[in-house]
Each structure stands twice: as structure tokens, then as C-alpha cells.
């Protein structure tokens, strides 16, 4: 049984990254990778089982971890849907009070209730958009004023 030469695996993976990056998976050559790494294709086959195994060794840990994070984010986002339903149910369970708040509160300390909700929504929407780098036409960032107008319109529609 042959003894694994120290550093060969790392060299193979370094050369494979270069080869896959420059040629893509289909056009990449194990012979080229082996030659660049100073080893044989047999060495690559014994370590990885072939080109797909080598490619998998390079990308699978990151793909797996990213997928786990992505699924977690999606689950949290999907859970928000049930939280939004909870908000709507709360409003309908307190319909009389919300009708008074939205339509009859002028002249009281609650006259800006919807505006207060718009401010909260605008702040959090804008923070999200900044975090993901969302831009408007021609790469310009969306302004808080624009978001405020859109959120006001949205909440006014739902409060009718």
C-alpha cells in the first residue's frame, strides 16, 4: 500500500480550482490538473474517485453550509407569514377599535396611529433594502421619502 505524500491533496485542490475556474467543469481535464499538481491521474482517482468527486470536494462543504443557512432564512421568512396573519387576525378581532383608530381618531393623541406604523415599516424596509443593496432605476438607491410614500399608500389601502 502506497503512502500518501504530504501536500499532494492540497496541491491537487489548488490546481483543480484553477482548472475548473478557467475552463468550467465539463472542459476541465484531470490530466492537466494532475500535471500541474505534479502527480498522476491515478492519484486523483484514488483520492476523489474522479472529476466529479474532486469538484465535489472543492464545493460541497460550502454548498451544504450555505444551503443550511438559506433554508434557515427561508423558514424564518415563511414564519413571518404566520406572524402577519396574526396581525391581521388581531385587527379583525378588535375591528371596532381599529375602525375608531383609523377613521375616527382625528383630534386625539391617536390621530397619527397609521403614520406611526408607516414610520416603523419604512425604517425596517429601508434597513432591509440597504442590507441587500436594493437599488432603484439607474442604480440610484431608493430614498426613505419614496418608501414612506409607498408604505403610506399601502397601509391606507388596507385601513379602508
Amino acid at each position: 500500500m502506497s503512502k500518501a505524500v504530504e501536500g499532494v491533496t492540497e496541491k491537487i485542490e489548488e490546481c483543480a480550482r484553477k482548472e475548473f475556474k478557467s475552463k468550467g467543469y465539463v472542459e476541465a481535464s484531470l490530466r492537466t490538473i494532475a500535471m500541474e499538481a505534479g502527480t498522476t491521474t491515478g492519484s486523483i482517482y484514488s483520492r476523489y474517485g474522479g472529476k466529479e468527486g474532486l469538484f465535489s470536494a472543492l464545493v460541497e462543504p460550502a454548498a451544504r453550509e450555505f444551503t443550511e443557512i438559506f433554508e434557515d432564512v427561508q423558514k424564518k421568512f415563511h414564519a413571518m407569514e404566520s406572524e402577519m396573519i396574526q396581525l391581521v387576525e388581531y385587527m379583525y378581532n378588535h375591528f371596532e377599535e381599529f375602525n375608531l383608530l383609523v377613521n375616527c381618531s382625528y383630534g386625539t393623541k391617536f390621530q397619527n396611529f397609521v403614520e406611526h406604523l408607516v414610520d416603523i415599516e419604512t425604517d425596517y424596509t429601508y434597513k432591509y433594502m440597504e442590507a441587500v443593496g436594493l437599488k432603484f432605476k439607474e442604480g440610484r438607491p431608493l430614498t426613505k421619502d419614496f418608501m414612506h410614500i409607498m408604505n403610506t399608500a399601502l397601509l391606507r389601502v388596507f385601513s379602508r
Side-chain angles (χ1 to χ4, degrees):
M1 187 164 149
S2 65
K3 183 178 175 187
V5 178
E6 193 173 321
V8 173
T9 299
E10 292 80 6
K11 187 69 176 165
I12 290 170
E13 291 181 3
E14 175 189 326
C15 294
R17 278 186 186 87
K18 256 176 44 179
E19 179 78 357
F20 289 130
K21 187 175 179 181
S22 69
K23 296 182 181 173
Y25 174 78
V26 172
E27 298 297 320
S29 164
L30 285 184
R31 285 188 189 96
T32 302
I33 295 167
M35 186 178 73
E36 293 290 323
T39 191
T40 65
T41 55
S43 174
I44 293 173
Y45 277 100
S46 68
R47 283 176 170 81
Y48 303 99
K51 186 163 71 168
E52 188 168 349
L54 175 55
F55 188 83
S56 291
L58 297 176
V59 301
E60 190 170 16
R64 183 177 45 252
E65 187 172 347
F66 183 82
T67 300
E68 289 170 5
I69 294 168
F70 186 76
E71 286 177 341
D72 188 48
V73 168
Q74 294 301 321
K75 287 174 188 172
K76 288 176 184 174
F77 185 77
H78 187 69
M80 273 186 5
E81 182 180 318
S82 66
E83 291 172 6
M84 294 303 290
I85 290 169
Q86 182 182 3
L87 286 174
V88 172
E89 286 175 349
Y90 185 87
M91 286 190 294
Y92 275 102
N93 289 336
H94 299 85
F95 189 79
E96 296 282 330
E97 293 89 341
F98 276 91
N99 188 24
L100 290 171
L101 271 171
V102 171
N103 298 313
C104 307
S105 63
Y106 182 77
T108 75
K109 68 180 184 178
F110 300 103
Q111 72 183 19
N112 294 319
F113 179 73
V114 172
E115 183 68 21
H116 177 64
L117 296 178
V118 167
D119 289 342
I120 293 169
E121 178 66 20
T122 299
D123 285 344
Y124 281 94
T125 300
Y126 200 76
K127 286 175 187 176
Y128 170 77
M129 291 168 52
E130 281 182 318
V132 299
L134 189 62
K135 303 281 185 193
F136 195 54
K137 287 184 177 180
E138 295 138 18
R140 292 179 293 156
L142 292 170
T143 65
K144 274 195 171 183
D145 289 339
F146 177 78
M147 290 306 309
H148 192 273
I149 291 166
M150 297 304 292
N151 288 327
T152 299
L154 181 67
L155 282 172
R156 288 288 176 195
V157 166
F158 285 121
S159 65
R160 299 250 181 252

